[in-house]
């Protein structure tokens, strides 16, 4: 959930569904999958699948934290994202 997603600056233009366009539009700055889910009112599983498809298409870069213990700010962003879903 705290995986950060950014736009791939080398991505070639492709046709995308409205949901995928919305995700790509959010990723000019690093954003978590949980935040994408909350902002777009998508189930977390759906957001993860769409992000995975966009990564496979070369549209997004996915950055996984190397640290096993996320920093407190990341935890708070995930909590805020989850609260926004409800």
């Amino acid at each position: 959930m705290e995986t950060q997603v950014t736009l791939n600056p080398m991505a070639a233009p492709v046709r995308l569904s409205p949901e995928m366009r919305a995700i790509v539009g959010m990723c000019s700055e690093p954003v978590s999958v949980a935040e994408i889910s909350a902002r777009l009112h998508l189930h977390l599983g759906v957001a993860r699948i769409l992000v995975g498809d966009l990564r496979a298409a070369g549209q997004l870069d996915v950055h996984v934290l190397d640290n096993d213990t996320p920093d407190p700010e990341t935890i708070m962003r995930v909590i805020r994202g989850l609260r926004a879903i409800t």
Side-chain angles (χ1 to χ4, degrees), residues 3-11 23-33 36 51 54-55 58-63:
T3 299
Q4 298 291 298
V5 181
T6 56
L7 185 62
N8 178 353
M10 307 300 279
I23 292 171
V24 168
M26 293 175 59
C27 294
S28 59
E29 302 261 334
V31 62
S32 72
V33 177
I36 291 169
V51 166
L54 287 165
R55 180 184 188 190
Q59 298 297 303
L60 297 179
D61 291 325
V62 176
H63 313 278

Side-chain angles (χ1 to χ4, degrees), residues 29-86:
E29 302 261 334
V31 62
S32 72
V33 177
E35 288 177 272
I36 291 169
S37 172
R39 290 184 192 173
L40 298 180
H41 305 287
L42 294 172
H43 186 278
L44 182 59
V46 173
R48 290 171 75 183
I49 290 169
L50 292 173
V51 166
D53 289 348
L54 287 165
R55 180 184 188 190
Q59 298 297 303
L60 297 179
D61 291 325
V62 176
H63 313 278
V64 179
L65 295 175
D66 292 334
N67 188 352
D68 288 339
T69 307
D71 66 293
E73 176 56 29
T74 301
I75 293 170
M76 292 308 298
R77 285 184 21 228
V78 170
I79 290 170
R80 286 191 299 271
L82 292 172
R83 285 183 179 151
I85 293 172
T86 58

